Amino acid sequence: MVEEEAKSLPMELSEKGGVENNGFVQNEAFDDKESDTSSQEEMPKTCVVDVDPVATEEQALKPYAGMPKEVLLKFSSQARYRVTREILFWLIIAAAVVLVCATIAIIALSPKCLDWWQASPIYRIYPRSFKDSNMDGNGDLKGIQEKLDHIMYLNIKTIWITSFYKSPLKDLGYGAEDFYDIDPMFGSMSDFENLLAAIHDRGLKVIMDLIPNHTSDKHQWFQLSRNRTGKYTDYYIWQDCAQAAGSVTPPNNWVSVFGNSSWQFDDVRKQCYFHQFGKEQPDLNFRSLAVQQEIHDIIKFWLGKGIDGFSFSAVKFLLEATHLRDEPQVNKSQNPESITAYSQLYHDYTTTQVGMHDIIRSFRQTMNQFSSEPGRYRFMGSDGDEKEDIEATMMYYGTAFIQEADFPFNFNLINMKNLSGNSIFEAVNLWMKNMPEGKWPNWAVGGPNAARISSRIGKEYVNVINMLLLTLPGTPVTYYGEEIGMENIAAENATFPEKSPMQWDGKVNAGFTEGNSSWLPVNADFQSVNVEIQMTWSNSTLNLYRELTLLRNNELPIHRGWMCYIWNDSNVFVYVRELDGLDRVFMMVLNFGQESTIDLKAIVPSLPSEAIVRLSTNFSNAGKAVNTKLIKTEMGEGLVLEYKTAKPVHTMEAFQGNCFVAEKACYSSAFNLLYVNC
């Protein structure tokens, strides 16, 4: 039976049409029959098997790794591969479009990042008193470089070094003999370049002083001008003076800042020159374009060296009225011949003249030429010094269309005549309510021409003043030594009590110099008031200062949020810092008077019943909960309270006139980013 089936199989195939199957193996019976009949009968017609060749090829060939181009192309043209490829392509295109649109939206909605001069406090150094490196008793540039780690320790990124130009030092360097050189007392140009490199290596920025109003009478320009040499003839302000019986009659009644006539007779030129300050500091003639160009060249020189900004001082004195009329007397009944003090005249013709702001704006334009490189914006500050005219000070900000100073330095907190919660509020509010919209505030509580905090208002208020300085909106400026609570020196005949040497440790000369003496005596309290010992005390002024700078750097509401006044009286000043989108609020309760108890929940009903003490001038209070109905503060005590709320103060109608924001931003917790359209 099996043999019959085997014999019938090739016969069935031969009867079908198809391709010849030469590889088919027949059984033996069929082979015998075929050989016997081959000569007698014709072979049957070959059958053709109906098989799809493409299907056969597909069955035999599948995609595999390393296939050649020809095979790959066969598969890539098939529908199932082509459609998948096209879907993936358009998905990638769509994703790219979405990503680009999202990026554009984020950029468009993101607020302007704070620049370096906004993001960090500024540490102001008087170089002669900071650190002596060569044992001559005078601080120098190498000494500053030795102590850069201290700046880093304070969490500060910007240093402001006061004048160190070559100078006879009649006014401690503010009358330059050469704007292009370093005074040998402070070192060499090589020392400055090394200091600058070290500052930038640490990621810090440096600002330096420039006083364009006047020079020293030793300056080469003045020597050439008094001899009427070429273009220098009119570099200074010269006028004929009447002479009689050996005395000189000045052209008018103008008085210098230091007192007595602002005109000085010169024996060489036989004329009087004008000086707003000391007679050794003749005023430049800024109505001369050549003089203006000289100052622009000086700016370019130092910016080319790599400094990050300038503080322009005494700029309100740049121009004087050309008519030379007498200035009006404050007391009209006073004998004109008895006027010798600066305060006895209204200085209508010697300060803030028309065209003065144009000159300052031209300085800004020159600085902008060096600000085009990303991350290298050059800061410009100015010394408005308009104590009685806040509107005149605000003009130094420039306008919405014309840039001037990034900010005029604010000395309201220094110029206060008495200390109380109300006086602090008035000083802060005066600046904030007059500052042009969109501008950035700044604050200072000390400087080289003002008594130190401890001596001006008392040791017990040092910490609370620093707390105020570092929690207000804007850029705080700290004068060296204020971070440890240094005092004026009490030595007899101390000419510059606020410029005493920095107190680094409890060793001889407070670690300021290894020499036998210092240019000014060190304060007698240096063994208990110094950097080294305060680093070891948890509740020291230095450690509180560090904690406050960390808080300012890390908390967005304090860094760039709203400020709203809550309360002020003779003892306390209370304000909040908050940011749209964040439910976390910081409230400062600062005591500048006597012991006080206040019910803040009665003032702001939406306050939670308790708040946490984030920082206190008394470190033992940190972390404690306080009842907002009964907040008690001692004399000179400061509290930074933290609480959560769904209703921030700046959205309340009752406080609308008490809230300010400079660089408005809103926080999105969903995306963890800031945006502008709140």
Side-chain angles (χ1 to χ4, degrees):
M1 183 67 180
V2 175
E3 290 178 356
E4 289 178 0
E5 288 176 0
K7 290 179 181 179
S8 65
L9 183 60
M11 295 302 294
E12 291 171 0
L13 285 173
S14 65
E15 292 172 357
K16 296 179 181 179
V19 294
E20 182 177 358
N21 187 357
N22 294 326
F24 191 84
V25 179
Q26 300 172 344
N27 58 28
E28 293 179 359
F30 186 79
D31 288 343
D32 293 340
K33 183 177 180 180
E34 183 179 18
S35 77
D36 293 342
T37 59
S38 60
S39 58
Q40 300 176 7
E41 298 178 6
E42 185 178 348
M43 285 291 294
K45 185 176 179 181
T46 305
C47 296
V48 178
V49 179
D50 188 11
V51 179
D52 184 357
V54 175
T56 304
E57 185 177 354
E58 281 189 354
Q59 250 185 341
L61 190 62
K62 294 181 179 179
Y64 59 90
M67 68 182 84
K69 177 181 176 182
E70 295 79 7
V71 178
L72 180 63
L73 288 174
K74 283 186 179 182
F75 290 106
S76 65
S77 61
Q78 294 176 20
R80 56 179 171 174
Y81 297 111
R82 187 180 67 253
V83 172
T84 302
R85 188 170 61 249
E86 289 178 356
I87 290 172
L88 289 174
F89 171 78
W90 288 112
L91 282 175
I92 292 171
I93 293 296
V97 170
V98 170
L99 186 61
V100 170
C101 292
T103 303
I104 293 172
I106 290 172
I107 293 172
L109 295 175
S110 295
K112 174 181 174 290
C113 291
L114 296 186
D115 218 322
W116 58 265
W117 51 273
Q118 298 171 305
S120 167
I122 296 174
Y123 191 78
R124 191 175 186 184
I125 294 174
Y126 187 74
R128 194 176 182 185
S129 296
F130 196 62
K131 182 66 173 75
D132 172 26
S133 69
N134 59 1
M135 299 190 299
D136 67 353
N138 295 294
D140 45 48
L141 299 180
K142 283 185 176 180
I144 296 175
Q145 185 172 342
E146 287 179 14
K147 293 297 183 179
L148 289 179
D149 287 343
H150 177 65
I151 312 298
M152 301 287 289
Y153 180 75
L154 296 176
N155 306 307
I156 290 176
K157 299 291 186 182
T158 304
I159 303 169
W160 173 8
I161 307 175
T162 60
S163 181
F164 50 81
Y165 303 103
K166 185 177 181 182
S167 167
L169 298 175
K170 287 291 183 183
D171 188 26
L172 297 177
Y174 287 95
E177 181 180 340
D178 187 350
F179 286 106
Y180 294 94
D181 201 3
I182 309 291
D183 194 282
M185 174 186 293
F186 302 121
S188 64
M189 185 61 74
S190 176
D191 293 334
F192 172 77
E193 290 167 350
N194 291 337
L195 170 62
L196 189 62
I199 287 172
H200 288 159
D201 285 347
R202 286 171 169 79
L204 307 179
K205 303 288 186 180
V206 62
I207 299 166
M208 61 186 286
D209 271 342
L210 180 58
I211 306 92
N213 177 70
H214 53 266
T215 70
S216 164
D217 58 359
K218 306 297 183 186
H219 198 291
Q220 183 184 18
W221 297 345
F222 185 76
Q223 298 302 316
L224 293 169
S225 185
R226 74 195 311 193
N227 286 289
R228 303 177 188 265
T229 304
K231 68 175 184 177
Y232 300 101
T233 301
D234 296 325
Y235 264 39
Y236 296 83
I237 300 166
W238 297 94
Q239 288 293 325
D240 292 329
C241 301
Q243 289 183 285
S247 64
V248 176
T249 303
N252 52 36
N253 73 340
W254 295 356
V255 175
S256 83
V257 172
F258 297 151
N260 296 315
S261 175
S262 56
W263 296 96
Q264 180 68 27
F265 183 76
D266 180 60
D267 286 328
V268 176
R269 182 153 166 160
K270 305 302 181 185
Q271 281 186 309
C272 284
Y273 62 85
F274 179 68
H275 58 90
Q276 296 260 33
F277 295 91
K279 65 180 181 180
E280 301 87 1
Q281 298 164 307
D283 274 38
L284 285 165
N285 175 20
F286 270 87
R287 298 194 184 277
S288 164
L289 295 179
V291 168
Q292 293 187 32
Q293 186 57 50
E294 293 279 10
I295 303 302
H296 285 282
D297 291 343
I298 293 166
I299 294 171
K300 292 176 182 177
F301 173 80
W302 290 104
L303 292 179
K305 286 283 183 184
I307 69 157
D308 301 289
F310 277 111
S311 166
F312 289 89
S313 299
V315 289
K316 73 174 184 178
F317 301 105
L318 290 180
L319 293 176
E320 300 75 29
T322 56
H323 53 62
L324 300 181
R325 297 177 195 149
D326 283 354
E327 291 191 313
Q329 297 178 197
V330 173
N331 180 3
K332 297 186 184 303
S333 62
Q334 183 179 359
N335 181 357
E337 294 182 1
S338 68
I339 292 177
T340 57
Y342 192 72
S343 60
Q344 293 173 332
L345 296 174
Y346 292 112
H347 303 285
D348 297 343
Y349 306 141
T350 54
T351 61
T352 318
Q353 298 298 292
V354 174
M356 180 268 291
H357 282 284
D358 292 331
I359 295 173
I360 301 174
R361 289 164 189 162
S362 71
F363 296 161
R364 173 76 267 176
Q365 291 168 5
T366 295
M367 296 184 70
N368 284 346
Q369 296 174 18
F370 291 80
S371 298
S372 57
E373 183 181 345
R376 290 307 308 274
Y377 179 81
R378 307 306 175 97
F379 166 81
M380 176 177 167
S382 69
D383 183 2
D385 200 25
E386 296 287 352
K387 297 178 184 178
E388 306 300 328
D389 191 347
I390 189 67
E391 291 182 2
T393 295
M394 294 300 155
M395 290 183 66
Y396 290 89
Y397 273 114
T399 68
F401 306 102
I402 303 176
Q403 188 182 17
E404 200 165 323
D406 290 300
F407 52 66
F409 287 101
N410 175 6
F411 303 118
N412 285 1
L413 295 173
I414 296 176
N415 296 330
M416 288 187 308
K417 293 181 172 57
N418 57 74
L419 182 68
S420 69
N422 288 329
S423 66
I424 292 288
F425 162 75
E426 290 164 3
V428 172
N429 188 52
L430 181 66
W431 192 273
M432 296 304 292
K433 74 179 182 181
N434 286 284
M435 185 178 68
E437 185 178 357
K439 299 301 182 180
W440 189 255
N442 71 100
W443 314 93
V445 293
N449 300 311
R452 290 190 176 276
I453 298 171
S454 296
S455 303
R456 192 168 74 244
I457 60 179
K459 296 179 184 179
E460 60 272 24
Y461 295 108
V462 170
N463 287 338
V464 73
I465 283 285
N466 279 335
M467 185 172 281
L468 171 75
L469 178 72
L470 292 166
T471 56
L472 285 172
T475 300
V477 180
T478 291
Y479 183 51
Y480 81 95
E482 301 290 7
E483 73 274 24
I484 58 173
M486 281 177 58
E487 295 183 69
N488 286 6
I489 49 174
E492 292 184 13
N493 303 320
T495 311
F496 310 107
E498 68 285 341
K499 298 181 174 74
S500 60
M502 179 66 177
Q503 293 161 205
W504 295 106
D505 55 43
K507 300 174 185 175
V508 178
N509 294 317
F512 166 72
T513 180
E514 295 180 4
N516 295 326
S517 62
S518 53
W519 79 282
L520 284 178
V522 174
N523 198 303
D525 67 359
F526 73 92
Q527 290 188 332
S528 59
V529 180
N530 65 68
V531 172
E532 184 179 68
I533 197 168
Q534 289 199 16
M535 288 175 71
T536 65
W537 295 349
S538 61
N539 62 339
S540 67
T541 297
L542 177 61
N543 276 325
L544 176 63
Y545 188 95
R546 287 190 73 229
E547 291 295 327
L548 286 165
T549 54
L550 274 175
L551 183 73
R552 183 185 184 277
N553 293 343
N554 295 335
E555 295 294 349
L556 282 171
I558 295 179
H559 198 52
R560 64 180 301 161
W562 288 86
M563 179 189 72
C564 297
Y565 311 134
I566 298 299
W567 180 257
N568 60 277
D569 57 29
S570 60
N571 294 314
V572 298
F573 177 39
V574 183
Y575 56 97
V576 296
R577 300 300 310 279
E578 49 195 25
L579 188 75
D580 290 285
L582 270 180
D583 60 358
R584 191 169 70 258
V585 176
F586 293 93
M587 175 181 285
M588 271 53 69
V589 183
L590 309 180
N591 187 307
F592 299 100
Q594 302 301 313
E595 180 181 316
S596 172
T597 302
I598 186 171
D599 181 357
L600 289 176
K601 193 165 178 60
I603 302 168
V604 187
S606 64
L607 277 180
S609 58
E610 283 190 343
I612 303 299
V613 178
R614 178 69 178 268
L615 279 179
S616 170
T617 52
N618 183 349
F619 269 65
S620 63
N621 290 332
K624 292 182 178 179
V626 295
N627 185 344
T628 55
K629 287 186 176 182
L630 193 69
I631 296 182
K632 182 179 178 181
T633 53
E634 304 290 338
M635 180 177 66
E637 183 178 2
L639 298 173
V640 177
L641 305 178
E642 183 178 352
Y643 63 89
K644 290 190 174 184
T645 182
K647 192 173 183 182
V649 173
H650 74 269
T651 63
M652 301 178 188
E653 187 174 350
F655 293 94
Q656 287 302 299
N658 295 350
C659 296
F660 305 90
V661 65
E663 293 283 354
K664 188 176 180 182
C666 317
Y667 178 74
S668 169
S669 56
F671 297 100
N672 191 28
L673 53 76
L674 295 174
Y675 62 100
V676 289
N677 295 328
C678 303

